[in-house]
Amino acid sequence: MPTTRSDTPMKRFFKGVIIALGFILPGVSGGVLAAILGIYERLLGFMAHFRQNFKRDFWYFVPVGIGGIVGIALLSAPLEFLLAHAQVVVLWGFAGAIIGTLPALTQTASAKTPRDAIDLIWFFATLIISGGLLYFMSDLFGPLPANFGGFMVAGALIALGVLVPGLSPSNLLLILGLFTPMLTGFKNFDLLGVYLPIGLGGILAMALFSKGMDYLIHRFHSRVYHFILGIVVASTILILVPNSHAAESISYASATTSTLLASAAALVAGVALGYWMSQLEEKYK
């Protein structure tokens, strides 16, 4: 797919800025935004056949990557501010955006084969087990530090959010206590302490899991998607449940009636946004 005259590096830079929104906002899909902007299929081809397509696609995606870095840096400061000053409202909005994507994800789970009892067992087992593991993760494994290794894990989760349709990495990062430190590092352009490990973690996850995930989705499509559904539902519930074990748990201690009303409005707006994004995915994928 050759580059057209209208598809200039500057336009690809701004596409990267827009796509960055999907990698940092829970419930908003970077893959959907890439599809709307016309580069999703080429991006997937580049990741799946890196060596074959390196010469053709590497320089094509350099402006997109730079735009993504700039977009993340620009978005991180206001998002960090909102989490610090309106945590309850923002997290309910995040949860709503994820809830809005669930109908489409549920439909996708049974798109190839009818839902059966095994699928339901996969879903409820994953919901209970992953919910318990995420809730007690700090007690079981200790807190995940916001250092080079922790941010490599964050990068791997972000990459899995690209590889696994419907998996929102941001809500997992919130539970792990890495979301706000990641935003701070992005805002401060901490290239060596945050950007580098996240990039390395993402690249390693792509290299290790892309072929395997492609095989599992094609071979066990319904099972994999019900597994994903269980994780998504469990992590979304945990965003809204106070947890003394989690580093970035929601707190209702200072919530007022106006806070709760604003949270309800944010939930409704988030559901609408998530549903709209999922409909766009169906249209453009």
Side-chain angles (χ1 to χ4, degrees), residues 234-259:
S235 58
T236 304
I237 293 171
L238 291 180
I239 287 178
L240 305 178
V241 175
N243 181 2
S244 59
H245 308 274
E248 295 188 72
S249 173
I250 193 170
S251 173
Y252 298 100
S254 58
T256 63
T257 301
S258 59
T259 300

Side-chain angles (χ1 to χ4, degrees), residues 10 13 31 57 76 104 112 140 145 161 182 187 198 204 220 235 254 260 262 274:
M10 184 57 66
F13 169 83
D57 287 339
S76 297
K112 293 189 175 181
L140 294 172
M182 181 183 73
K187 179 190 70 175
I198 285 178
L204 286 173
F220 305 102
S235 58
S254 58
L260 298 178

Side-chain angles (χ1 to χ4, degrees), residues 54 64 80 120 148 156 163 225 238 240 250:
F54 180 84
V64 179
E80 182 189 39
L120 294 176
F148 198 94
L163 291 172
Y225 269 90
L238 291 180
L240 305 178
I250 193 170

Side-chain angles (χ1 to χ4, degrees), residues 48-257:
H49 307 286
F50 184 78
R51 286 184 294 179
Q52 298 94 315
N53 295 339
F54 180 84
K55 185 176 180 180
R56 185 194 71 172
D57 287 339
F58 178 77
W59 291 110
Y60 178 89
F61 283 112
V62 165
V64 179
I66 295 173
I69 293 172
V70 172
I72 286 171
L74 291 175
L75 180 65
S76 297
L79 189 54
E80 182 189 39
F81 176 85
L82 288 172
L83 281 171
H85 295 86
Q87 184 206 47
V88 174
V89 177
V90 172
L91 292 183
W92 274 86
F94 284 175
I98 299 165
I99 292 169
T101 66
L102 290 180
L105 185 57
T106 303
Q107 185 176 5
T108 301
S110 57
K112 293 189 175 181
T113 56
R115 184 174 292 109
D116 59 19
I118 303 295
D119 289 330
L120 294 176
I121 291 172
W122 266 108
F123 169 72
F124 285 109
T126 304
L127 173 64
I128 295 168
I129 294 172
S130 65
L133 287 174
L134 289 171
Y135 188 84
F136 294 106
M137 182 170 287
S138 294
D139 289 343
L140 294 172
F141 305 107
L144 197 60
N147 57 17
F148 198 94
F151 286 127
M152 283 191 68
V153 173
L157 289 174
I158 291 171
L160 288 175
V162 178
L163 291 172
V164 183
L167 183 63
S168 176
S170 297
N171 51 336
L172 295 175
L173 293 174
L174 278 165
I175 295 167
L176 294 174
L178 289 173
F179 192 71
T180 299
M182 181 183 73
L183 291 181
T184 302
F186 284 155
K187 179 190 70 175
N188 296 331
F189 267 103
D190 188 352
L191 297 178
L192 295 180
V194 177
Y195 281 94
L196 177 61
I198 285 178
L200 289 175
I203 291 170
L204 286 173
M206 289 287 187
L208 291 173
F209 301 122
S210 58
K211 298 292 185 183
M213 187 55 63
D214 182 68
Y215 171 81
L216 288 174
I217 287 178
H218 283 87
R219 184 69 177 82
F220 305 102
H221 181 272
S222 183
R223 308 289 190 245
V224 170
Y225 269 90
H226 282 85
F227 175 82
I228 294 168
L229 271 169
I231 295 176
V232 171
V233 173
S235 58
T236 304
I237 293 171
L238 291 180
I239 287 178
L240 305 178
V241 175
N243 181 2
S244 59
H245 308 274
E248 295 188 72
S249 173
I250 193 170
S251 173
Y252 298 100
S254 58
T256 63
T257 301

